[in-house]
């Protein structure tokens, strides 16, 4: 019988070490994300993500504001990594995602963070913005496992990923919490400096779905395995919600769990972009909910208190089984 989480099997078989070593060495000519900067991060050179060979962490904590099956009753063991491979002009975390606040951690220190969060009783290790430091995360994981780490990983990503890199995580990551932010590449270029976001995002989501499938839950409502897709609704239909939900329904499954987010606020540089320099309107969020129903995407969560970050745990509409 396979061990759970999956990374325990990957550790025993040597798969984890192989992937950690291979991905870390690839930083000599970094192509870990769609930007393919091809800089030597192991020699201290910096690409778009401004990160060299060590991971930088802004903070870590038991987080209770994620989707209910992730936060549970004891919190999600959340690690906020500094820097990002996107450049969202409205980012609410810009102080560390773009300005780089935080401090470097050795792989052993990162492993200890994971172990400390587990010791606090957290249900999982929630890796926020992991893409650019994935090799370093695997190195830390490799050290944490023999010290007793045994709670699942949540790969909490902006969704700007290479499918071939995500493929390397098969059997290591059990839970994907992935954004699908844009359905239009021109908008993603203007607002996140990611001109090809939709293409790479959809390819990565297909691979995540292939690996872990529809979300599965324990008897007490915690996610055990699977994919949850987050969609932040932007003002003036700039997210192109209809395109994204059509893709999910037709290319993944209409049983996919969706987290529909209404919490957009014009942070950081958003005041310079008139179309997003305001809060989301209630009718815009209502329209997004109607799009979900149109594509029969009825599994998931909405932010019941409009504009609030906490999730009420209300299913969009329970789907008959």
């Amino acid at each position: 019988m396979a061990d759970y989480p999956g990374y325990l099997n990957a550790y025993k078989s040597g798969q984890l070490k192989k992937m950690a070593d291979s991905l870390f060495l690839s930083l000599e000519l970094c192509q870990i994300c769609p930007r393919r900067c091809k800089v030597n991060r192991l020699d201290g050179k910096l690409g778009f993500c401004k990160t060299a060979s060590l991971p930088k962490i802004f903070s870590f904590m038991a987080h209770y504001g994620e989707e209910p099956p992730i936060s549970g009753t004891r919190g999600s063991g959340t690690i906020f990594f500094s820097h990002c491979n996107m450049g969202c002009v409205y980012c609410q975390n810009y102080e560390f995602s773009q300005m780089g606040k935080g401090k470097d951690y050795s792989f052993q220190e990162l492993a200890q963070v994971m172990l400390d969060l587990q010791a606090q009783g957290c249900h999982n290790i929630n890796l926020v913005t992991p893409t650019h430091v994935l090799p370093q995360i695997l190195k830390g994981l490799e050290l944490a496992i023999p010290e007793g780490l045994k709670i699942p990983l949540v790969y909490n990503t902006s969704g700007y990923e290479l499918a071939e890199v995500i493929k390397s995580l098969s059997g290591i990551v059990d839970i994907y919490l992935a954004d699908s932010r844009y359905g239009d590449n021109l908008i993603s270029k203007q607002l996140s400096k990611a001109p090809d976001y939709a293409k790479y995002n959809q390819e990565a989501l297909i691979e995540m779905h292939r690996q872990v499938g529809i979300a599965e839950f324990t008897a007490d409502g915690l996610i055990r395995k699977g994919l949850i897709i987050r969609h932040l609704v932007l003002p003036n239909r700039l997210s192109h919600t209809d395109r994204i939900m059509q893709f999910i329904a037709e290319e993944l499954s209409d049983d996919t769990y969706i987290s529909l987010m209404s919490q957009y606020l014009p942070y950081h540089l958003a005041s310079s972009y008139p179309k997003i320099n305001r809060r989301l309107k209630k009718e815009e969020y209502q329209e997004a909910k109607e799009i979900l129903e149109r594509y029969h995407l009825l599994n998931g969560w909405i932010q019941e208190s409009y504009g609030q970050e906490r999730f009420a745990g209300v299913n969009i509409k329970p789907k008959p089984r």
Side-chain angles (χ1 to χ4, degrees), residues 1-30:
M1 189 177 195
D3 289 326
Y4 179 81
Y7 61 68
L8 296 178
N9 293 302
Y11 179 79
K12 291 177 181 177
S13 70
Q15 176 197 357
L16 176 59
K17 177 174 175 52
K18 179 181 178 181
M19 286 302 168
D21 290 348
S22 175
L23 288 175
F24 189 69
L25 286 175
S26 77
L27 297 182
E28 286 185 336
L29 188 70
C30 188

PDB file of all heavy atoms in Angstrom, residues 1-30:
ATOM      1  N   MET A   1       0.849  -1.202   0.000  1.00  0.00           N
ATOM      2  CA  MET A   1       0.000   0.000   0.000  1.00  0.00           C
ATOM      3  C   MET A   1       0.884   1.253   0.000  1.00  0.00           C
ATOM      4  O   MET A   1       1.837   1.337   0.770  1.00  0.00           O
ATOM      5  CB  MET A   1      -0.927   0.000   1.218  1.00  0.00           C
ATOM      6  CG  MET A   1      -1.988   1.080   1.193  1.00  0.00           C
ATOM      7  SD  MET A   1      -3.094   0.948   2.624  1.00  0.00           S
ATOM      8  CE  MET A   1      -4.415   1.991   2.090  1.00  0.00           C
ATOM      9  N   ALA A   2       0.569   2.190  -0.855  1.00  0.00           N
ATOM     10  CA  ALA A   2       1.367   3.409  -0.974  1.00  0.00           C
ATOM     11  C   ALA A   2       1.240   4.265   0.278  1.00  0.00           C
ATOM     12  O   ALA A   2       0.182   4.357   0.893  1.00  0.00           O
ATOM     13  CB  ALA A   2       0.920   4.202  -2.192  1.00  0.00           C
ATOM     14  N   ASP A   3       2.359   4.890   0.656  1.00  0.00           N
ATOM     15  CA  ASP A   3       2.341   5.793   1.800  1.00  0.00           C
ATOM     16  C   ASP A   3       1.671   7.105   1.414  1.00  0.00           C
ATOM     17  O   ASP A   3       1.574   7.463   0.238  1.00  0.00           O
ATOM     18  CB  ASP A   3       3.770   6.083   2.261  1.00  0.00           C
ATOM     19  CG  ASP A   3       4.426   4.887   2.917  1.00  0.00           C
ATOM     20  OD1 ASP A   3       3.708   4.121   3.575  1.00  0.00           O
ATOM     21  OD2 ASP A   3       5.650   4.726   2.769  1.00  0.00           O
ATOM     22  N   TYR A   4       1.194   7.807   2.427  1.00  0.00           N
ATOM     23  CA  TYR A   4       0.629   9.138   2.234  1.00  0.00           C
ATOM     24  C   TYR A   4       1.277  10.049   3.258  1.00  0.00           C
ATOM     25  O   TYR A   4       1.399   9.669   4.416  1.00  0.00           O
ATOM     26  CB  TYR A   4      -0.895   9.116   2.430  1.00  0.00           C
ATOM     27  CG  TYR A   4      -1.540  10.483   2.274  1.00  0.00           C
ATOM     28  CD1 TYR A   4      -1.826  10.994   1.019  1.00  0.00           C
ATOM     29  CD2 TYR A   4      -1.822  11.262   3.390  1.00  0.00           C
ATOM     30  CE1 TYR A   4      -2.399  12.249   0.875  1.00  0.00           C
ATOM     31  CE2 TYR A   4      -2.385  12.515   3.250  1.00  0.00           C
ATOM     32  CZ  TYR A   4      -2.673  13.004   1.995  1.00  0.00           C
ATOM     33  OH  TYR A   4      -3.228  14.257   1.851  1.00  0.00           O
ATOM     34  N   PRO A   5       1.683  11.239   2.871  1.00  0.00           N
ATOM     35  CA  PRO A   5       1.634  11.851   1.539  1.00  0.00           C
ATOM     36  C   PRO A   5       2.557  11.155   0.542  1.00  0.00           C
ATOM     37  O   PRO A   5       3.464  10.433   0.905  1.00  0.00           O
ATOM     38  CB  PRO A   5       2.097  13.288   1.801  1.00  0.00           C
ATOM     39  CG  PRO A   5       2.037  13.492   3.270  1.00  0.00           C
ATOM     40  CD  PRO A   5       2.252  12.155   3.879  1.00  0.00           C
ATOM     41  N   GLY A   6       2.342  11.464  -0.735  1.00  0.00           N
ATOM     42  CA  GLY A   6       3.079  10.814  -1.793  1.00  0.00           C
ATOM     43  C   GLY A   6       4.579  11.003  -1.713  1.00  0.00           C
ATOM     44  O   GLY A   6       5.349  10.126  -2.136  1.00  0.00           O
ATOM     45  N   TYR A   7       5.026  12.137  -1.147  1.00  0.00           N
ATOM     46  CA  TYR A   7       6.466  12.387  -1.116  1.00  0.00           C
ATOM     47  C   TYR A   7       7.216  11.358  -0.264  1.00  0.00           C
ATOM     48  O   TYR A   7       8.428  11.182  -0.420  1.00  0.00           O
ATOM     49  CB  TYR A   7       6.786  13.817  -0.675  1.00  0.00           C
ATOM     50  CG  TYR A   7       6.324  14.231   0.704  1.00  0.00           C
ATOM     51  CD1 TYR A   7       6.878  13.691   1.863  1.00  0.00           C
ATOM     52  CD2 TYR A   7       5.343  15.206   0.857  1.00  0.00           C
ATOM     53  CE1 TYR A   7       6.464  14.092   3.124  1.00  0.00           C
ATOM     54  CE2 TYR A   7       4.922  15.620   2.107  1.00  0.00           C
ATOM     55  CZ  TYR A   7       5.485  15.062   3.245  1.00  0.00           C
ATOM     56  OH  TYR A   7       5.068  15.461   4.496  1.00  0.00           O
ATOM     57  N   LEU A   8       6.519  10.652   0.639  1.00  0.00           N
ATOM     58  CA  LEU A   8       7.179   9.616   1.430  1.00  0.00           C
ATOM     59  C   LEU A   8       7.638   8.468   0.530  1.00  0.00           C
ATOM     60  O   LEU A   8       8.741   7.928   0.687  1.00  0.00           O
ATOM     61  CB  LEU A   8       6.247   9.108   2.529  1.00  0.00           C
ATOM     62  CG  LEU A   8       5.841  10.138   3.592  1.00  0.00           C
ATOM     63  CD1 LEU A   8       4.873   9.517   4.590  1.00  0.00           C
ATOM     64  CD2 LEU A   8       7.075  10.690   4.311  1.00  0.00           C
ATOM     65  N   ASN A   9       6.775   8.096  -0.422  1.00  0.00           N
ATOM     66  CA  ASN A   9       7.170   7.075  -1.395  1.00  0.00           C
ATOM     67  C   ASN A   9       8.300   7.582  -2.285  1.00  0.00           C
ATOM     68  O   ASN A   9       9.240   6.844  -2.602  1.00  0.00           O
ATOM     69  CB  ASN A   9       5.973   6.691  -2.269  1.00  0.00           C
ATOM     70  CG  ASN A   9       4.894   5.979  -1.486  1.00  0.00           C
ATOM     71  OD1 ASN A   9       5.137   4.951  -0.884  1.00  0.00           O
ATOM     72  ND2 ASN A   9       3.697   6.541  -1.500  1.00  0.00           N
ATOM     73  N   ALA A  10       8.187   8.856  -2.706  1.00  0.00           N
ATOM     74  CA  ALA A  10       9.215   9.432  -3.582  1.00  0.00           C
ATOM     75  C   ALA A  10      10.561   9.496  -2.867  1.00  0.00           C
ATOM     76  O   ALA A  10      11.614   9.316  -3.492  1.00  0.00           O
ATOM     77  CB  ALA A  10       8.780  10.822  -4.043  1.00  0.00           C
ATOM     78  N   TYR A  11      10.542   9.734  -1.580  1.00  0.00           N
ATOM     79  CA  TYR A  11      11.775   9.756  -0.792  1.00  0.00           C
ATOM     80  C   TYR A  11      12.383   8.359  -0.714  1.00  0.00           C
ATOM     81  O   TYR A  11      13.591   8.170  -0.948  1.00  0.00           O
ATOM     82  CB  TYR A  11      11.479  10.282   0.609  1.00  0.00           C
ATOM     83  CG  TYR A  11      12.684  10.313   1.519  1.00  0.00           C
ATOM     84  CD1 TYR A  11      13.621  11.333   1.426  1.00  0.00           C
ATOM     85  CD2 TYR A  11      12.893   9.312   2.475  1.00  0.00           C
ATOM     86  CE1 TYR A  11      14.734  11.364   2.255  1.00  0.00           C
ATOM     87  CE2 TYR A  11      13.992   9.332   3.298  1.00  0.00           C
ATOM     88  CZ  TYR A  11      14.916  10.355   3.192  1.00  0.00           C
ATOM     89  OH  TYR A  11      16.014  10.378   4.011  1.00  0.00           O
ATOM     90  N   LYS A  12      11.545   7.363  -0.422  1.00  0.00           N
ATOM     91  CA  LYS A  12      12.041   5.989  -0.292  1.00  0.00           C
ATOM     92  C   LYS A  12      12.593   5.447  -1.605  1.00  0.00           C
ATOM     93  O   LYS A  12      13.588   4.726  -1.625  1.00  0.00           O
ATOM     94  CB  LYS A  12      10.913   5.083   0.208  1.00  0.00           C
ATOM     95  CG  LYS A  12      10.489   5.342   1.640  1.00  0.00           C
ATOM     96  CD  LYS A  12       9.310   4.454   2.019  1.00  0.00           C
ATOM     97  CE  LYS A  12       8.841   4.720   3.440  1.00  0.00           C
ATOM     98  NZ  LYS A  12       7.652   3.897   3.782  1.00  0.00           N
ATOM     99  N   SER A  13      11.954   5.802  -2.706  1.00  0.00           N
ATOM    100  CA  SER A  13      12.367   5.269  -4.008  1.00  0.00           C
ATOM    101  C   SER A  13      13.559   6.001  -4.607  1.00  0.00           C
ATOM    102  O   SER A  13      14.160   5.535  -5.577  1.00  0.00           O
ATOM    103  CB  SER A  13      11.194   5.349  -4.993  1.00  0.00           C
ATOM    104  OG  SER A  13      10.922   6.700  -5.337  1.00  0.00           O
ATOM    105  N   GLY A  14      13.898   7.143  -4.049  1.00  0.00           N
ATOM    106  CA  GLY A  14      14.968   7.964  -4.604  1.00  0.00           C
ATOM    107  C   GLY A  14      14.489   8.974  -5.625  1.00  0.00           C
ATOM    108  O   GLY A  14      15.269   9.786  -6.118  1.00  0.00           O
ATOM    109  N   GLN A  15      13.186   8.941  -5.962  1.00  0.00           N
ATOM    110  CA  GLN A  15      12.638   9.877  -6.945  1.00  0.00           C
ATOM    111  C   GLN A  15      12.795  11.326  -6.484  1.00  0.00           C
ATOM    112  O   GLN A  15      13.133  12.215  -7.274  1.00  0.00           O
ATOM    113  CB  GLN A  15      11.159   9.576  -7.207  1.00  0.00           C
ATOM    114  CG  GLN A  15      10.488  10.568  -8.160  1.00  0.00           C
ATOM    115  CD  GLN A  15       8.965  10.513  -8.098  1.00  0.00           C
ATOM    116  OE1 GLN A  15       8.387   9.693  -7.374  1.00  0.00           O
ATOM    117  NE2 GLN A  15       8.318  11.388  -8.848  1.00  0.00           N
ATOM    118  N   LEU A  16      12.539  11.567  -5.195  1.00  0.00           N
ATOM    119  CA  LEU A  16      12.615  12.933  -4.674  1.00  0.00           C
ATOM    120  C   LEU A  16      14.034  13.477  -4.813  1.00  0.00           C
ATOM    121  O   LEU A  16      14.234  14.612  -5.277  1.00  0.00           O
ATOM    122  CB  LEU A  16      12.156  12.975  -3.226  1.00  0.00           C
ATOM    123  CG  LEU A  16      12.282  14.332  -2.526  1.00  0.00           C
ATOM    124  CD1 LEU A  16      11.483  15.405  -3.257  1.00  0.00           C
ATOM    125  CD2 LEU A  16      11.824  14.220  -1.065  1.00  0.00           C
ATOM    126  N   LYS A  17      15.024  12.687  -4.417  1.00  0.00           N
ATOM    127  CA  LYS A  17      16.415  13.145  -4.527  1.00  0.00           C
ATOM    128  C   LYS A  17      16.783  13.416  -5.980  1.00  0.00           C
ATOM    129  O   LYS A  17      17.428  14.426  -6.299  1.00  0.00           O
ATOM    130  CB  LYS A  17      17.364  12.105  -3.925  1.00  0.00           C
ATOM    131  CG  LYS A  17      18.842  12.477  -4.082  1.00  0.00           C
ATOM    132  CD  LYS A  17      19.753  11.516  -3.371  1.00  0.00           C
ATOM    133  CE  LYS A  17      21.220  11.828  -3.643  1.00  0.00           C
ATOM    134  NZ  LYS A  17      21.572  13.240  -3.376  1.00  0.00           N
ATOM    135  N   LYS A  18      16.360  12.528  -6.860  1.00  0.00           N
ATOM    136  CA  LYS A  18      16.671  12.693  -8.277  1.00  0.00           C
ATOM    137  C   LYS A  18      16.089  13.999  -8.810  1.00  0.00           C
ATOM    138  O   LYS A  18      16.785  14.763  -9.511  1.00  0.00           O
ATOM    139  CB  LYS A  18      16.113  11.507  -9.058  1.00  0.00           C
ATOM    140  CG  LYS A  18      16.348  11.576 -10.560  1.00  0.00           C
ATOM    141  CD  LYS A  18      15.742  10.369 -11.264  1.00  0.00           C
ATOM    142  CE  LYS A  18      15.930  10.469 -12.777  1.00  0.00           C
ATOM    143  NZ  LYS A  18      15.318   9.319 -13.491  1.00  0.00           N
ATOM    144  N   MET A  19      14.835  14.275  -8.476  1.00  0.00           N
ATOM    145  CA  MET A  19      14.194  15.496  -8.967  1.00  0.00           C
ATOM    146  C   MET A  19      14.786  16.738  -8.316  1.00  0.00           C
ATOM    147  O   MET A  19      15.001  17.758  -8.983  1.00  0.00           O
ATOM    148  CB  MET A  19      12.686  15.437  -8.717  1.00  0.00           C
ATOM    149  CG  MET A  19      11.956  14.507  -9.653  1.00  0.00           C
ATOM    150  SD  MET A  19      12.212  14.991 -11.383  1.00  0.00           S
ATOM    151  CE  MET A  19      11.574  13.551 -12.228  1.00  0.00           C
ATOM    152  N   ALA A  20      15.054  16.666  -7.016  1.00  0.00           N
ATOM    153  CA  ALA A  20      15.632  17.813  -6.318  1.00  0.00           C
ATOM    154  C   ALA A  20      16.992  18.165  -6.912  1.00  0.00           C
ATOM    155  O   ALA A  20      17.286  19.340  -7.180  1.00  0.00           O
ATOM    156  CB  ALA A  20      15.751  17.515  -4.826  1.00  0.00           C
ATOM    157  N   ASP A  21      17.824  17.159  -7.116  1.00  0.00           N
ATOM    158  CA  ASP A  21      19.164  17.408  -7.668  1.00  0.00           C
ATOM    159  C   ASP A  21      19.094  17.934  -9.101  1.00  0.00           C
ATOM    160  O   ASP A  21      19.794  18.880  -9.463  1.00  0.00           O
ATOM    161  CB  ASP A  21      19.991  16.119  -7.638  1.00  0.00           C
ATOM    162  CG  ASP A  21      20.379  15.699  -6.233  1.00  0.00           C
ATOM    163  OD1 ASP A  21      20.216  16.517  -5.301  1.00  0.00           O
ATOM    164  OD2 ASP A  21      20.841  14.552  -6.056  1.00  0.00           O
ATOM    165  N   SER A  22      18.240  17.313  -9.915  1.00  0.00           N
ATOM    166  CA  SER A  22      18.137  17.703 -11.322  1.00  0.00           C
ATOM    167  C   SER A  22      17.630  19.136 -11.469  1.00  0.00           C
ATOM    168  O   SER A  22      18.209  19.936 -12.226  1.00  0.00           O
ATOM    169  CB  SER A  22      17.211  16.735 -12.056  1.00  0.00           C
ATOM    170  OG  SER A  22      16.997  17.151 -13.385  1.00  0.00           O
ATOM    171  N   LEU A  23      16.569  19.463 -10.740  1.00  0.00           N
ATOM    172  CA  LEU A  23      16.009  20.805 -10.858  1.00  0.00           C
ATOM    173  C   LEU A  23      16.959  21.855 -10.291  1.00  0.00           C
ATOM    174  O   LEU A  23      17.077  22.965 -10.828  1.00  0.00           O
ATOM    175  CB  LEU A  23      14.649  20.877 -10.162  1.00  0.00           C
ATOM    176  CG  LEU A  23      13.503  20.156 -10.879  1.00  0.00           C
ATOM    177  CD1 LEU A  23      12.238  20.189 -10.031  1.00  0.00           C
ATOM    178  CD2 LEU A  23      13.220  20.762 -12.251  1.00  0.00           C
ATOM    179  N   PHE A  24      17.648  21.505  -9.205  1.00  0.00           N
ATOM    180  CA  PHE A  24      18.578  22.476  -8.621  1.00  0.00           C
ATOM    181  C   PHE A  24      19.732  22.756  -9.580  1.00  0.00           C
ATOM    182  O   PHE A  24      20.108  23.918  -9.800  1.00  0.00           O
ATOM    183  CB  PHE A  24      19.106  21.969  -7.282  1.00  0.00           C
ATOM    184  CG  PHE A  24      19.896  23.000  -6.527  1.00  0.00           C
ATOM    185  CD1 PHE A  24      19.271  24.115  -5.981  1.00  0.00           C
ATOM    186  CD2 PHE A  24      21.265  22.874  -6.381  1.00  0.00           C
ATOM    187  CE1 PHE A  24      19.997  25.089  -5.299  1.00  0.00           C
ATOM    188  CE2 PHE A  24      22.001  23.835  -5.704  1.00  0.00           C
ATOM    189  CZ  PHE A  24      21.365  24.946  -5.160  1.00  0.00           C
ATOM    190  N   LEU A  25      20.284  21.718 -10.186  1.00  0.00           N
ATOM    191  CA  LEU A  25      21.370  21.918 -11.142  1.00  0.00           C
ATOM    192  C   LEU A  25      20.917  22.701 -12.371  1.00  0.00           C
ATOM    193  O   LEU A  25      21.709  23.419 -12.991  1.00  0.00           O
ATOM    194  CB  LEU A  25      21.949  20.567 -11.564  1.00  0.00           C
ATOM    195  CG  LEU A  25      22.816  19.857 -10.525  1.00  0.00           C
ATOM    196  CD1 LEU A  25      23.226  18.478 -11.016  1.00  0.00           C
ATOM    197  CD2 LEU A  25      24.055  20.689 -10.181  1.00  0.00           C
ATOM    198  N   SER A  26      19.618  22.593 -12.715  1.00  0.00           N
ATOM    199  CA  SER A  26      19.101  23.318 -13.874  1.00  0.00           C
ATOM    200  C   SER A  26      19.132  24.825 -13.671  1.00  0.00           C
ATOM    201  O   SER A  26      19.017  25.592 -14.641  1.00  0.00           O
ATOM    202  CB  SER A  26      17.669  22.872 -14.194  1.00  0.00           C
ATOM    203  OG  SER A  26      16.724  23.441 -13.288  1.00  0.00           O
ATOM    204  N   LEU A  27      19.308  25.269 -12.425  1.00  0.00           N
ATOM    205  CA  LEU A  27      19.376  26.706 -12.153  1.00  0.00           C
ATOM    206  C   LEU A  27      20.651  27.331 -12.709  1.00  0.00           C
ATOM    207  O   LEU A  27      20.777  28.556 -12.731  1.00  0.00           O
ATOM    208  CB  LEU A  27      19.274  26.967 -10.641  1.00  0.00           C
ATOM    209  CG  LEU A  27      17.966  26.530  -9.968  1.00  0.00           C
ATOM    210  CD1 LEU A  27      17.984  26.894  -8.491  1.00  0.00           C
ATOM    211  CD2 LEU A  27      16.755  27.148 -10.658  1.00  0.00           C
ATOM    212  N   GLU A  28      21.591  26.508 -13.170  1.00  0.00           N
ATOM    213  CA  GLU A  28      22.781  27.047 -13.847  1.00  0.00           C
ATOM    214  C   GLU A  28      22.398  27.750 -15.149  1.00  0.00           C
ATOM    215  O   GLU A  28      23.120  28.635 -15.619  1.00  0.00           O
ATOM    216  CB  GLU A  28      23.773  25.921 -14.148  1.00  0.00           C
ATOM    217  CG  GLU A  28      24.512  25.411 -12.938  1.00  0.00           C
ATOM    218  CD  GLU A  28      25.571  24.388 -13.294  1.00  0.00           C
ATOM    219  OE1 GLU A  28      25.443  23.739 -14.362  1.00  0.00           O
ATOM    220  OE2 GLU A  28      26.531  24.239 -12.521  1.00  0.00           O
ATOM    221  N   LEU A  29      21.282  27.339 -15.714  1.00  0.00           N
ATOM    222  CA  LEU A  29      20.745  27.979 -16.919  1.00  0.00           C
ATOM    223  C   LEU A  29      19.221  27.974 -16.732  1.00  0.00           C
ATOM    224  O   LEU A  29      18.519  27.193 -17.349  1.00  0.00           O
ATOM    225  CB  LEU A  29      21.155  27.211 -18.175  1.00  0.00           C
ATOM    226  CG  LEU A  29      20.835  27.869 -19.524  1.00  0.00           C
ATOM    227  CD1 LEU A  29      21.711  29.099 -19.747  1.00  0.00           C
ATOM    228  CD2 LEU A  29      21.014  26.875 -20.660  1.00  0.00           C
ATOM    229  N   CYS A  30      18.745  28.857 -15.872  1.00  0.00           N
ATOM    230  CA  CYS A  30      17.400  28.702 -15.319  1.00  0.00           C
ATOM    231  C   CYS A  30      16.298  28.812 -16.376  1.00  0.00           C
ATOM    232  O   CYS A  30      16.164  29.812 -17.072  1.00  0.00           O
ATOM    233  CB  CYS A  30      17.158  29.736 -14.225  1.00  0.00           C
ATOM    234  SG  CYS A  30      15.587  29.439 -13.364  1.00  0.00           S
TER     235      CYS A  30
END
